[in-house]
Amino acid sequence: MTDTQTENSAPPAAGTVLQGVGVGRRVAVGPVVRVQPAPAVPGDAPVLRDGAPVPAEELPDAVTAAFAAVGDGLREQAGRATGTVAEVLGATAMMADDPALRDQVLGRVRGGEPPVAAIDAVVGTFAAMFEQAGGYLAERVTDLRSVRDRVVSRLAGLPAPGVPELHAPSVVVARDLAPADTAALDLERVLALVTEEGGPTGHTAIIAGQNGIPCVVRVTGASALADGSVVGVDAAAGTVLVEPSDDDRAVLEARAAAERALESDTEPGGTADGHRVQLLANIGTAEDAEKLVGAAVEGVGLFRTEVLFLGRQQAPTVDEQAAAYARVLRALGPDRKVVVRTLDAGADKPLAFANLHAEENPALGVRGYRLVRSAPALLTDQLTALARAGEETGTQPWVMAPMIATPAESRAFADAVHAAGLRTAGVMVEVPAAALRAGHVLDEVDFVSLGTNDLAQYTMAADRLLGELVDLLDAWQPAVLELVAATARAGAAAGKPVGVCGESASDPLMALVLTGLGVTSLSMSPAALPAVRFALRRHTLEACRAMAEAALAAADPAAGRAAVAGLLDPEARATLGV
């Protein structure tokens, strides 16, 4: 193989290895299907209706109708989707409905500017604002441009851009995928996802992880891959191999078979010497929970409740929420715990009904638990609904708050949980302040759960959705692991559970390190569970502790991962492809 990267101007040669950032660890081999970019429409292109130009005096109405139609179409797609796809589509529909975006475009059109040029100018301004704000808004730039492409295509009388129909199992390759693109995918026929842009915590990566689809993002040269060419995608290595040889295909197919074989183990999680580590799933909807009914999962470690809220003009009622929560609790049953994260939204995940002001730095603003400062009824209603669902099903959920920074916030949240009639209160540790004061936080609550994605973001002062900073956001950063270790020590001293529900839990090597640090549960996408279960089963707690010490002592993430890989059991190294 040739370990090189290619220019976009020519297809890469057979045997070329394109390097990117892997999501998950699975592999796939198959033909490329490219997602073509939106058609280029000149700024002065006429607006067409039934093939004829629209009169100048009717242009504002035509633009308004185009935005409305795009928003309606996205909402219709969201209604047919589930889980994270439904969430991101609903949020994108809200963007198409955004009065500020639409009104600025209409103001330019009424002033005589051609509609396509007006849309391009306004979207460009909004995109620059989002990128400067960082965080969730920076990730929404892809969604914003998707809205632009759809509106412009409709005005120009062109078909909406999107993913071509998949007639056979394929590797979908794109410069980037907007939520509407991912919603259009026939996931039963998607072997792998490869993008030239994006990041490991973007919506494409999350959807791939939830569905067990190999994914590699930030692959330079990916957009030059030819339709129909065969590639081997290795998420664990973060590579895309162009036209693999027979020997290369055999290696990849053997890896895939080994991964499938791991699914036969359905025992509870634990190390080789019997030290228990709960293996839990991350979910976003009641439908996700119902898919776990017969799965080898010990419960839910993270139920993201945002799906109920995003993309709506009004907050869901207590009755609506209680019905959704009851479905989740009923699906998991009384013997499997369900950890519910209260609404993780705010200025960086705008809610139309929260009346939040624009912020210069949303990642550091009013988000998560901090919403009690401006919209306290959101938390009160959510806790009321959770308590009602618990009474209805006879199953008490564990409830935790995101974006907690102080012991005082922890105490206030626990008081609110108990006042609602719920018994078990916890908080997310994703702010360094909470990790450093974890002992005091645990004096106030029953458990904590580490959100390693945000913890890395705030520790390294690097936007977790900015792909070019992925090296700083590596879960193996020793500074981040130090904060995990401090939190786990506090949990051990208090005799209280400390879980991890960030993406790092889904990495089998990191799962061993986290266990060695003292983490008591690991929550991840269901597709990642078999490999993590296998890795734990092949190593003792003493071996995990040695791996944790090696990772903490390393000079950088690469050295830490290499040191841990060197301590792996030989069979585990071969099976996991390390």
Side-chain angles (χ1 to χ4, degrees), residues 257-274:
E259 290 279 350
R260 289 193 296 271
L262 299 181
E263 297 175 4
S264 62
D265 184 355
T266 59
E267 294 298 312
T271 61
D273 52 343

Side-chain angles (χ1 to χ4, degrees), residues 524-545:
M524 64 204 78
S525 65
L529 282 161
V532 171
R533 181 184 284 110
F534 170 80
L536 288 171
R537 188 90 69 225
R538 296 296 307 177
H539 299 86
T540 64
L541 179 58
E542 181 181 356
C544 292
R545 287 172 173 163

Side-chain angles (χ1 to χ4, degrees), residues 111-194:
E113 191 169 348
V116 174
I119 292 168
D120 286 343
V122 174
V123 167
T125 300
F126 274 65
M129 290 168 53
F130 286 5
E131 287 169 343
Q132 184 176 12
Y136 178 81
L137 288 177
E139 175 69 9
R140 300 306 306 283
V141 169
T142 297
D143 310 344
L144 177 64
R145 289 176 177 150
S146 174
V147 169
R148 176 265 175 208
D149 293 340
R150 287 166 176 266
V151 172
V152 168
S153 294
R154 177 172 286 274
L155 291 173
L158 298 171
V163 179
E165 184 178 357
L166 302 182
H167 298 287
S170 307
V171 176
V172 176
V173 177
R175 181 168 294 281
D176 202 358
L177 284 169
D181 296 325
T182 56
L185 289 171
D186 178 359
L187 295 179
E188 295 297 320
R189 293 183 175 178
V190 176
L191 295 173
L193 294 172
V194 176

Side-chain angles (χ1 to χ4, degrees), residues 77 80 133 197 211 227 240 256 280 283 304-305 310 316 331 342 388 405 418 470 502 514 527 538 543 552 569:
Q77 283 185 284
R80 294 195 302 266
E197 298 176 357
N211 290 279
D227 273 315
V240 178
L280 309 168
I283 65 170
R304 303 180 181 95
T305 57
L310 295 177
T342 56
R388 185 180 299 176
H418 298 148
V470 67
L514 296 172
R538 296 296 307 177
L552 286 170
D569 168 84

Side-chain angles (χ1 to χ4, degrees), residues 72-349:
D72 290 343
L74 288 166
R75 272 187 295 277
E76 184 179 343
Q77 283 185 284
R80 294 195 302 266
T82 60
T84 303
V85 175
E87 173 189 341
V88 293
L89 279 170
T92 307
M94 283 184 62
M95 190 169 287
D97 295 334
D98 185 354
L101 177 68
R102 186 185 61 244
D103 290 350
Q104 286 195 31
V105 171
L106 290 174
R108 286 173 172 264
V109 172
R110 292 186 179 108
E113 191 169 348
V116 174
I119 292 168
D120 286 343
V122 174
V123 167
T125 300
F126 274 65
M129 290 168 53
F130 286 5
E131 287 169 343
Q132 184 176 12
Y136 178 81
L137 288 177
E139 175 69 9
R140 300 306 306 283
V141 169
T142 297
D143 310 344
L144 177 64
R145 289 176 177 150
S146 174
V147 169
R148 176 265 175 208
D149 293 340
R150 287 166 176 266
V151 172
V152 168
S153 294
R154 177 172 286 274
L155 291 173
L158 298 171
V163 179
E165 184 178 357
L166 302 182
H167 298 287
S170 307
V171 176
V172 176
V173 177
R175 181 168 294 281
D176 202 358
L177 284 169
D181 296 325
T182 56
L185 289 171
D186 178 359
L187 295 179
E188 295 297 320
R189 293 183 175 178
V190 176
L191 295 173
L193 294 172
V194 176
T195 66
E196 188 147 352
E197 298 176 357
T201 58
H203 62 261
T204 299
I206 291 172
I207 289 167
Q210 286 185 335
N211 290 279
I213 298 172
C215 179
V216 185
V217 300
R218 303 200 66 75
V219 181
T220 301
S223 60
L225 290 167
D227 273 315
S229 61
V230 175
V231 294
V233 180
D234 186 341
T239 58
V240 178
L241 172 60
V242 181
E243 297 291 352
S245 66
D246 290 344
D247 288 344
D248 292 329
R249 290 185 71 144
V251 170
L252 291 170
E253 288 165 359
R255 277 270 310 283
E259 290 279 350
R260 289 193 296 271
L262 299 181
E263 297 175 4
S264 62
D265 184 355
T266 59
E267 294 298 312
T271 61
D273 52 343
H275 174 73
R276 286 278 289 114
V277 181
Q278 274 194 319
L279 298 183
L280 309 168
N282 295 341
I283 65 170
T285 66
E287 290 83 2
D288 293 340
E290 287 163 354
K291 293 176 184 176
L292 301 177
V293 169
V297 176
E298 297 173 64
V300 167
L302 173 62
F303 173 18
R304 303 180 181 95
T305 57
E306 294 82 73
V307 178
L308 288 168
F309 293 80
L310 295 177
R312 299 178 58 130
Q313 296 302 310
Q314 299 292 330
T317 65
V318 171
D319 288 344
E320 287 178 288
Q321 292 187 59
Y325 304 148
R327 281 182 64 188
V328 171
L329 296 176
R330 197 174 289 114
L332 273 298
D335 297 327
R336 294 196 282 185
K337 81 176 182 183
V338 176
V339 181
V340 180
R341 183 178 69 188
T342 56
L343 180 61
D344 187 13
D348 65 335
K349 295 180 184 176

